[in-house]
């Protein structure tokens, strides 16, 4: 059988999404939730590079997934060498975790660098990251689509960046090269807040009062 099939490891997808995609593929299923990956990484989520891979029917899923992980590892190691000293990320694994948050927060590639700079600035200032996508990840696979006040206050969710200091314990999604570049090559900037404008872009603020005005304008539709 010479027919090629393809699997798209989507940026922003997670280990649960990938498992569904694998189950509906023509792979020989020998990899459950990435337990087949031979890796030194201290986690299994977010350790594949987002890309499209071609394979033949009956091929072992592990072979494609392992090569995706190797590509990520090589890219991450190479770009880590270019990290500016003023960038506060301590390890490659921290870069991977923050890049996965950027992947979920940025509405487009153009904004990834500025959003990365906001989170890097929060890290420098010792602020909590306060990223909604991390809370959602901590609620998977049972998240129903709405973040509640109780979710925001839940200290038992170790991915709740409104409660924990610093980064969550693992990445929360598959990552593209552009998100890794954004977090490793960027520097902290003066912006500490951002709010979605509803058109796929964000409004950035340096002061909390300005941020509150932007929230009223863009989220609550009040002038």
């Amino acid at each position: 059988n010479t027919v090629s099939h393809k699997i798209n490891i989507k940026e922003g997808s997670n280990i649960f999404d990938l498992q569904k995609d694998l189950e509906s593929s023509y792979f020989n299923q020998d990899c459950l939730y990435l337990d087949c990956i031979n890796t030194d990484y201290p986690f299994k989520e977010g350790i594949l590079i987002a890309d499209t891979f071609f394979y033949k029917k009956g091929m072992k899923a592990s072979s494609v997934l392992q090569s995706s992980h190797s590509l990520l590892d090589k890219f991450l190691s190479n770009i880590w060498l270019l990290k500016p000293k003023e960038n506060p990320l301590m390890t490659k694994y921290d870069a991977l975790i923050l890049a996965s948050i950027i992947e979920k927060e940025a509405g487009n590639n153009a904004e990834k660098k500025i959003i990365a700079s906001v989170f890097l600035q929060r890290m420098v200032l010792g602020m909590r990251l306060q990223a909604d996508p991390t809370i959602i990840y901590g609620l998977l696979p049972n998240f129903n689509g709405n973040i509640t006040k109780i979710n925001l206050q839940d200290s038992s969710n170790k991915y709740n960046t409104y409660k924990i200091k610093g980064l969550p314990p693992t990445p929360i999604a598959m990552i593209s090269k552009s998100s890794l570049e954004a977090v490793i090559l960027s520097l902290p900037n003066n912006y500490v807040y951002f709010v979605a404008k509803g058109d796929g872009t964000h409004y950035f603020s340096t002061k909390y009062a300005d941020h509150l005005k932007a929230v009223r304008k863009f989220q609550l539709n009040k002038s």
Side-chain angles (χ1 to χ4, degrees), residues 154-179:
D154 182 8
S155 299
S156 69
N157 179 352
K158 57 185 190 285
Y159 288 86
N160 183 355
T161 48
Y162 284 81
K163 287 292 180 185
I164 63 166
K165 287 185 176 172
L167 294 161
T170 75
I172 59 169
M174 306 300 168
I175 299 151
S176 61
K177 288 179 177 178
S178 58
S179 292

